[in-house]
């Protein structure tokens, strides 16, 4: 199973970016999907997560500015980031809890490659 991330880049403060993360491979089902980020010199932190049923949770720092969504038919999760701030600058990672067709009795935690988001002031 692989997660393909796209959508990072450079944006001015106040601008918007949309990240996408598409899962592929021997997927039976996907439970939670989420976005994490890691800024230079800091630990990786949860930004937002969404269950297969659509329940969401957000880091306090992004509430009201970021929106996570998913398309279950496409095994894809999105992160719409609005009103970006310089402190949102980080490497963003996608994460998913996947049940594969070869191991139906357990979840496999999968990480995508990071995508750099840089917000200039």
């Amino acid at each position: 199973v692989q997660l393909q991330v796209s959508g990072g880049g450079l944006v001015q403060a106040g601008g918007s970016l949309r990240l996408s993360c598409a899962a592929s491979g021997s997927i039976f089902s996907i439970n939670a999907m989420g976005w994490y980020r890691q800024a230079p010199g800091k630990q990786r932190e949860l930004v937002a997560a969404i269950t297969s049923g659509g329940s969401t949770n957000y880091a306090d720092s992004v509430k009201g500015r970021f929106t996570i969504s998913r398309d279950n038919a496409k095994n894809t999760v999105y992160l719409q980031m609005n009103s970006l701030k310089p402190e949102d600058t980080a490497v963003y990672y996608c994460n998913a809890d996947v049940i594969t067709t070869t191991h139906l009795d357990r979840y496999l935690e999968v990480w995508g490659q990071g995508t750099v988001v840089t917000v200039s002031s």
Side-chain angles (χ1 to χ4, degrees):
V1 177
Q2 294 183 331
L3 300 180
Q4 183 65 45
V5 177
S6 61
L10 173 65
V11 65
Q12 289 188 330
S16 298
L17 283 174
R18 189 190 195 210
L19 306 182
S20 299
C21 171
S24 62
S26 303
I27 297 169
F28 178 77
S29 66
I30 303 177
N31 187 19
M33 302 185 81
W35 291 96
Y36 289 73
R37 67 186 181 187
Q38 187 166 18
K42 295 188 177 180
Q43 290 187 331
R44 189 174 298 189
E45 63 175 356
L46 174 68
V47 176
I50 184 168
T51 67
S52 57
S55 297
T56 59
N57 69 287
Y58 296 90
D60 288 342
S61 59
V62 307
K63 284 181 180 177
R65 300 187 298 121
F66 291 11
T67 302
I68 189 170
S69 61
R70 64 189 282 175
D71 184 333
N72 290 330
K74 296 181 179 180
N75 290 328
T76 299
V77 63
Y78 306 95
L79 185 68
Q80 178 65 43
M81 303 184 292
N82 298 330
S83 301
L84 282 160
K85 303 176 180 180
E87 51 263 44
D88 295 317
T89 296
V91 180
Y92 284 70
Y93 298 90
C94 176
N95 171 277
D97 291 331
V98 179
I99 295 179
T100 67
T101 56
T102 55
H103 293 85
L104 297 176
D105 60 336
R106 71 196 73 169
Y107 283 108
L108 174 68
E109 184 179 33
V110 184
W111 289 91
Q113 84 280 9
T115 187
V116 178
V117 172
T118 304
V119 184
S120 62
S121 57

